Amino acid sequence: MPIIRVAVPVPKRQFFEYQHSSALEPGIRVRVPFGPRKLIGVVLETTKESQWQSDKLKAILDVLDETSIFSSVQLKLCQWLSQYYQHPIGDVLHSAMPVSLRKGGSSQPKPVSFLRTTDEGQQIPSENLGKARKQQQLLAQLQQGEASYSSILAQYASTTVKAVVQKKLIEQVERIPSLDTDWLAHLNIGEKPLPNVEQAIAISQITAKIGEYASFLIEGVTGSGKTEVYLQAIESVLTQGKQVLILVPEIGLTPQTVERFAKRFNVLVGILHSNLTDNERLLVWQQSQAGQLPIIIGTRSAIFTPMKNPGMLIVDEEHDSSYKQQDGLRYHARDLAVMRAAQEKIPLILGSATPALESLNNALSGKYQHLLLNERAGNASHPKQQVLDIRNQPLEFGLAKGIIERIGQHLAQESQVMLFINRRGYAPALVCHTCGHVEECPGCNKPYTLHKQLYKLQCHHCGNAKAIPKRCQSCNSTELSAMGLGTEQLEQGLQTLFPQYTSVRIDSDSARGKNRLNDMLDKINRNEYQILIGTQILSKGHHFPNVTLVVILEVDGALFSADYRAAEHLAQLVTQLAGRAGRAEKPGEMWLQTHDPSHPLLQDLLNNGYSHFARYALLEREQAMLPPHTYQALFRAQSSDPRLANQLLMDISMQFSYSKHVQCIGPLPALMEKRQGKFRMQLVLSSRNRAALQHALSQAMPNIEQLPLASKVRWALDVDPQDFM
């Protein structure tokens, strides 16, 4: 009987052998016995020889697919992922599948909810819906043709959909979608603006490489029209009947991106993000694999989406840290996109106003083609960036008097104002005014964050929460005070200072829930909110044409971080936030409140811009022997006994003592030493040669897994780590 080698989703860096009555194609899913369990595995190959006696091999229980669910390129990509990130191949293939297929579900299309107009809804003019603008848009869109329920919910609030359904103008139907691959016949290019000189050069260079592999880094200031470059480059791909996969960093960016792409090309756009149901994700996966979807837009995991006719890959806001998976298979979607584009022989576009130093280094060294967009599109001007020295100044709700006056002036001109503070909640600590006791999370030894609206204290590191105490646990005093500033308190303060204006708070607390963020963004663009308060969600590429003032509070903390990437992240954040101001006709300005206005990083950034800062930072990194001029791997270990974690990392470091090309740094405590009651230690491996580091890791991993403490201490390997928390 043929021997089938199967990758099973278990923490073992190997395949497993089973018997079957006939040979099976690589990429087919099978159900196999694994100890007392039955697991879903993926066939890697069929062979006639085995390292085991045939009577010791178990039989495959069930074959779930008639043909491979993976293309040859996908299988090759997954094997590269397994080798590069030193991760079990079974787990890699498991991660590359939609959840429905991981559970053993059928790979055949399943019924999906669609929205379509009723007979009455098809005939009635959408203007008859009066002032309900969103309902008008929804009806007009569905009068052009039906759409999946999930794609509509990505663009409209559920209340809008229900309202039109109740008026019996649209209806919901369930059916198996037909895989119509003739989208090219319906392709209709909408009106497009005339590109400026820089945009035209970028478009021509990209379109010249369609049909072959090439990597482009578009370094364009915020508002310079990078998306328009994408759109006009995509046009050349679609007219050849090929597909485009676009990665965006946040779910909140997908609706506005989808709307713009669908409107330009009049084609079905597939959406992939974590808010979809398992069946909805599977449908997009199947439609893309069948070649039905010309454009697929998704977050990090969408990089695994199969394409029948791949034509181009785009990674928007490529610097964003959310492209790096922080647990399990710790891959970086941007780096995986580079490998996939090379294997598919298609062009890759990386776009950002603040490119990651790794990408910029590749562009400057010639690995990527470097395209610069230095001018804002249209009549928009660059925002003025200024610092405000708040030393010895009285602050009201964290704001200096001068800033409060500037906010008032901009609001009086009927503009919107954005305030950024990277702390959600009301205050970062609750302190006893009598004895100084701070309410701390016992598992993390970090202060609880005070959430007044939810009436609780919560640890933002482990999620532990409790009710706000009425008395100090140490001295029984009732004099408990909130220390520091959070988004809740800032929102409350601005409502007090400017009661005649409406404010909105956008953070992971207020934006929780399906379509909640989209609803808030819509209302902002309709000018229903004049004051925008938020955390990093606000910096993620959103287009707010009426925002003319951006204020950043408490910028000083990032200037003195122990993480060597902190300066890069701060510079990216400041530049991205500045780009939210003055994106239309009105000029914009940004203010940073700081206690250290002469800090070299701030002065370089404000006077010379991100481009100069990044090139200077690359020189610093080279002198300090840090990435991207060296390559790193990080071993993390955690235990309730710090000595065990430390000893395991000491044992691991001994595995690399023979290597001349790999330097071990540590073991050292993590930047956050204790979390959820566990002490966390780290060991950094560094090398100037990527191949030497990879070779050392592949040689050492089998021995590391056999170490006595490896089964007693929780540990993980992170290749190309992005943070050291």
Side-chain angles (χ1 to χ4, degrees), residues 245-248 271-273 281 285 296-307 313 331 333 340:
L245 175 61
I246 304 164
L247 298 186
V248 293
I271 311 169
L272 281 169
H273 54 66
R281 291 179 70 89
W285 205 79
I296 305 96
I297 299 175
T299 48
R300 179 177 61 225
S301 61
I303 187 60
F304 295 110
T305 307
M307 291 187 286
L313 270 172
Y331 68 95
R340 180 168 181 180

Side-chain angles (χ1 to χ4, degrees), residues 9 224 276 327-328 350 412 417 437 477 499 543 591 599 641:
S224 59
L276 300 181
D327 53 23
L350 307 175
V417 172
H437 173 75
S477 169
H543 179 62
W591 285 88
H599 193 284
D641 185 346

